[in-house]
Amino acid sequence: MNTQDINRRIRLVMDLRTKGIRSADVLGAIERVPRDFFVPSSVSDQAWDDMALPIGRGQTISQPFVVASMTEALELTDRDKVLEIGTGCGYQTAILSKLCRRVYTIERHRYLLEHAEKRFEELRLRNVTAIAGDGMKGWPKINGLQQAPFDKIIVTAAAKDKPPAALLEQIRVGGKMIIPVGPPGEQSLKLFQKESDEAYSVRNIMPVRFVPLLPNIAEDSE
Ligand code: SAH
């Protein structure tokens, strides 16, 4: 790491602290995970700025402030098993992997997933399991093995009017889910806490702009 790289990392962390991110663990993860490694080389000089950037297939890597806010709201511990919907380039996944026991992540674009998996390999993130699929259906049983319920769920694409039922079901009682909800232009980041098998509390965190959560695995032409 050269001096310029270290300075850019420190500047981003200070920027996020000014904007209200308090968790030292979250700020530490942002400082350690090389965001420049996750974005296309055409925009890598902006990788340490607090902004969303394109990652291909019409998708975006979220703004670091939004990644930090969502991660902070989950109050992760090193015992947590986390489900992420919308792997994208894998940046949010990498942040989670530093702060919890294991991350299960689903992406509907195979192309994005394959590239994200290569990055997890190169960065030696050993506690990540990634699959291509429709995350609106939750984590599937694989070879008869059920991973649900999860301590925490994070969805990085926006549900149009309400969270998918399959995801609410896969939160353990006492667990939390963070998810953007609403139509384009009117999305709000919501934190659900599962109080019992049927009851949830909901808190609005902030207005946000995410790409939509879409059903089924993507066609190659999409
Ligand atoms: N966390 C990502 C953000 C990517 S944008 C990052 O750090 O890069 C949201 C992603 O959600 C897109 O890659 C999109 O393809 C994916 N997505 C949308 N609907 C989905 C679904 N039903 N299942 C899985 N992934 C989905």
Side-chain angles (χ1 to χ4, degrees), residues 9-213:
R9 288 178 191 228
I10 292 172
R11 204 185 53 205
L12 175 61
V13 165
M14 282 167 57
D15 188 14
L16 296 179
R17 201 180 283 150
T18 311
K19 288 173 177 164
I21 305 300
R22 288 279 161 268
S23 161
D25 289 345
V26 172
L27 292 169
I30 297 265
E31 191 174 339
R32 275 187 297 154
V33 173
R35 192 166 183 258
D36 47 320
F37 190 66
F38 288 83
V39 301
S41 51
S42 55
V43 294
S44 64
D45 56 331
Q46 297 164 78
W48 292 96
D49 293 341
D50 188 23
M51 56 196 282
L53 294 168
I55 55 167
R57 295 293 188 273
Q59 308 302 320
T60 51
I61 177 174
S62 305
Q63 183 190 349
F65 175 66
V66 174
V67 171
S69 302
M70 292 176 85
T71 309
E72 190 170 59
L74 287 176
E75 298 182 281
L76 296 170
T77 78
D78 56 9
R79 295 177 305 280
D80 281 344
K81 176 155 91 166
V82 179
L83 173 64
E84 179 191 37
I85 309 304
T87 319
C89 67
Y91 177 71
Q92 171 80 70
T93 321
I95 297 286
L96 296 168
S97 84
K98 304 280 184 207
L99 300 169
C100 70
R101 180 161 58 88
R102 186 154 266 289
V103 189
Y104 294 83
T105 184
I106 311 179
E107 169 56 52
R108 68 187 287 280
H109 279 281
R110 288 185 199 282
Y111 166 89
L112 294 177
L113 185 84
E114 281 164 18
H115 283 80
E117 280 189 295
K118 282 201 194 111
R119 296 186 183 106
F120 302 150
E121 270 295 309
E122 279 185 53
L123 294 176
R124 299 192 167 73
L125 305 180
R126 307 254 183 252
N127 60 345
V128 174
T129 309
I131 57 168
D134 177 1
M136 292 170 83
K137 299 187 181 126
W139 189 265
K141 237 189 209 174
I142 299 174
N143 299 330
L145 205 69
Q146 179 67 276
Q147 294 300 342
F150 296 91
D151 300 295
K152 312 282 163 65
I153 299 182
I154 176 168
V155 185
T156 64
K160 214 185 295 163
D161 48 9
K162 57 179 189 323
L167 294 180
L168 285 170
E169 208 159 286
Q170 291 200 341
I171 312 171
R172 84 166 163 77
V173 173
K176 297 183 206 300
M177 170 162 74
I178 186 110
I179 179 170
V181 181
E186 295 167 47
Q187 297 168 3
S188 167
L189 191 59
K190 290 180 188 287
L191 182 68
F192 286 75
Q193 169 129 2
K194 191 160 178 170
E195 310 291 357
S196 72
D197 277 328
E198 301 89 45
Y200 302 88
S201 66
V202 189
R203 197 150 64 81
N204 278 316
I205 307 290
M206 61 182 177
V208 280
R209 262 167 59 191
F210 273 87
V211 297
L213 190 61

